Amino acid sequence: AKAISATNFESEGREWTQAARVRTETPQPRMITDPKHQEEAIKLLKQAPMFLACKDDHLRKLVKDMERVDFHKGDVLCKQGDPQDRAFFIAEGQIRRERMVNDRTHQVMDTFGNSEPDQYGNRKIAIGVLHVLTRDPSFAEAKCMSQGHLYALSSEALNRHLLSDAILATNIVHSLSVEVRRQSNHVRWLMRTPLLEQRAKKTNVIAVSIAASVESFYRSGLNAAMNAKLSGQWGKLFPNMHIQMPARILYINGFKGLRQYLDLSVKPEEFSNPTAVRLAAVGGPGIVLTPLRSI
């Protein structure tokens, strides 16, 4: 019963907590002394966003205080809500994270470990990196789905190296800032602008003129087909294109040009009712150019 229940390991005054398991054996963390294992741990660290900008020399000092852990299917590395006293870097095997929300268990992202690299060439191999510094509560339970091994970095060891190695600390801050910028560029809701507050783009007159020319033929042919369907008689597909095409080009360029002019010259914030001013700026160009459109 004791083997199946939670088992504690102590390493230099620190606790290693192993949650309930199916197997009776427990993973024994051990310090990394083999140079091959140290190099493997360095490669894993450099795949984690937190250490992306760190130099090998500094990481080589860090991995000497890391531990190598062999795990088996069914092992639980950490429980949701428990202090995250270690960050895990998966070298081999697969680990799934599950989070309990409103009495329901949800899988967090994809399986960590043996997975395909993302669009930036990184694999999901790090667990608990953002919570280990101050031993914040673990975000989700990490459950081993196969046999493998990983490298663990304790909160104590990380803090000790941050305090003693200013260059390492600076590189970690730089790595995290790069990761924050990268994620911000892909979170669309951070860059949403209300419809009436969107700014007009600079008009590319040549490109707009070409597109308006093509559209004038399309509109003329479509109108001719609709008239033939309604009246039963076919007329010319492209009548008076010497008038239709220039009028369409002037209308589209004029509309975009007026919209851009109003955007640059009118400041809605200076009026008592900015929303009404924005509505007028949006609808005004269409109303002004209505006679040209009717041609």
Side-chain angles (χ1 to χ4, degrees), residues 156-170:
E156 181 184 346
L158 177 59
N159 279 281
R160 185 168 64 250
H161 282 272
L162 288 176
L163 293 174
S164 62
D165 192 339
I167 297 178
L168 174 65
T170 302

Side-chain angles (χ1 to χ4, degrees), residues 140-156:
E141 178 179 279
K143 191 173 185 178
C144 303
M145 305 306 295
S146 67
Q147 183 176 345
H149 69 276
L150 57 80
Y151 296 91
L153 174 63
S154 69
S155 175
E156 181 184 346

Side-chain angles (χ1 to χ4, degrees), residues 201-240:
K201 295 182 179 179
K202 185 177 180 179
T203 304
N204 186 334
V205 177
I206 295 177
V208 170
S209 299
I210 294 174
S213 300
V214 174
E215 184 194 16
S216 65
F217 282 91
Y218 162 76
R219 289 167 60 90
S220 179
L222 182 61
N223 287 334
M226 293 176 62
N227 290 333
K229 187 70 174 179
L230 294 174
S231 64
Q233 297 180 354
W234 276 94
K236 293 182 178 180
L237 286 176
F238 309 111
N240 301 320

Side-chain angles (χ1 to χ4, degrees), residues 119-120 179-191:
Q119 58 181 326
Y120 304 98
E179 177 66 12
V180 169
R181 292 198 301 268
R182 182 185 71 82
Q183 294 192 14
S184 297
N185 290 334
H186 290 79
V187 179
R188 299 301 178 93
W189 59 267
L190 288 177
M191 297 180 287

Side-chain angles (χ1 to χ4, degrees), residues 90-287:
I90 308 161
E92 182 182 1
Q94 292 185 331
I95 295 176
R96 185 173 65 191
R97 300 180 72 195
E98 296 179 346
R99 178 173 173 81
M100 181 72 70
V101 180
N102 296 329
D103 297 327
R104 296 185 63 183
T105 300
H106 301 270
Q107 184 173 341
V108 181
M109 296 180 62
D110 301 322
T111 300
F112 286 69
N114 295 342
S115 59
E116 294 296 327
D118 60 16
Q119 58 181 326
Y120 304 98
N122 299 323
R123 292 168 51 224
K124 298 179 178 67
I125 52 90
I127 295 177
V129 174
L130 299 180
H131 296 75
V132 69
L133 189 62
T134 55
R135 294 168 57 93
D136 293 333
S138 179
F139 178 75
E141 178 179 279
K143 191 173 185 178
C144 303
M145 305 306 295
S146 67
Q147 183 176 345
H149 69 276
L150 57 80
Y151 296 91
L153 174 63
S154 69
S155 175
E156 181 184 346
L158 177 59
N159 279 281
R160 185 168 64 250
H161 282 272
L162 288 176
L163 293 174
S164 62
D165 192 339
I167 297 178
L168 174 65
T170 302
N171 290 337
I172 288 178
V173 172
H174 175 60
S175 300
L176 292 176
S177 64
V178 170
E179 177 66 12
V180 169
R181 292 198 301 268
R182 182 185 71 82
Q183 294 192 14
S184 297
N185 290 334
H186 290 79
V187 179
R188 299 301 178 93
W189 59 267
L190 288 177
M191 297 180 287
R192 285 183 177 175
T193 303
L195 178 63
L196 296 179
E197 297 181 22
Q198 294 179 10
R199 309 298 297 273
K201 295 182 179 179
K202 185 177 180 179
T203 304
N204 186 334
V205 177
I206 295 177
V208 170
S209 299
I210 294 174
S213 300
V214 174
E215 184 194 16
S216 65
F217 282 91
Y218 162 76
R219 289 167 60 90
S220 179
L222 182 61
N223 287 334
M226 293 176 62
N227 290 333
K229 187 70 174 179
L230 294 174
S231 64
Q233 297 180 354
W234 276 94
K236 293 182 178 180
L237 286 176
F238 309 111
N240 301 320
M241 294 308 297
H242 63 288
I243 298 176
Q244 287 198 60
M245 187 169 67
R248 193 64 184 172
I249 292 174
L250 289 175
Y251 173 75
I252 298 297
N253 279 296
F255 180 87
K256 290 180 174 291
L258 281 176
R259 178 74 175 86
Q260 185 176 350
Y261 172 77
L262 293 174
D263 185 63
L264 295 174
S265 58
V266 177
K267 307 298 180 184
E269 296 80 7
E270 298 177 356
F271 295 84
S272 59
N273 194 337
T275 301
V277 175
R278 292 190 180 100
L279 283 172
V282 169
I287 296 175

Side-chain angles (χ1 to χ4, degrees), residues 16-140:
W16 172 276
T17 302
Q18 180 67 23
R21 330 167 30 87
V22 175
R23 293 170 47 87
T24 57
E25 295 87 349
T26 53
Q28 294 291 338
R30 54 187 183 277
M31 304 306 295
I32 307 174
T33 56
D34 190 333
K36 293 183 180 180
H37 293 166
Q38 292 180 359
E39 292 301 320
E40 183 180 37
I42 290 175
K43 291 181 180 180
L44 290 172
L45 288 176
K46 295 184 72 173
Q47 292 185 54
M50 187 174 185
F51 301 98
L52 194 62
C54 297
K55 305 298 182 182
D56 287 1
D57 293 341
H58 300 278
L59 294 179
R60 190 164 284 107
K61 297 177 183 178
L62 183 63
V63 299
K64 292 180 179 179
D65 285 335
M66 294 178 64
E67 299 164 330
R68 189 177 190 273
V69 181
D70 295 322
F71 59 83
H72 298 82
K73 183 177 181 179
D75 292 350
V76 176
L77 299 177
C78 57
K79 300 284 288 184
Q80 178 180 335
D82 288 351
Q84 190 77 54
D85 59 351
R86 277 171 172 75
F88 304 105
F89 302 87
I90 308 161
E92 182 182 1
Q94 292 185 331
I95 295 176
R96 185 173 65 191
R97 300 180 72 195
E98 296 179 346
R99 178 173 173 81
M100 181 72 70
V101 180
N102 296 329
D103 297 327
R104 296 185 63 183
T105 300
H106 301 270
Q107 184 173 341
V108 181
M109 296 180 62
D110 301 322
T111 300
F112 286 69
N114 295 342
S115 59
E116 294 296 327
D118 60 16
Q119 58 181 326
Y120 304 98
N122 299 323
R123 292 168 51 224
K124 298 179 178 67
I125 52 90
I127 295 177
V129 174
L130 299 180
H131 296 75
V132 69
L133 189 62
T134 55
R135 294 168 57 93
D136 293 333
S138 179
F139 178 75

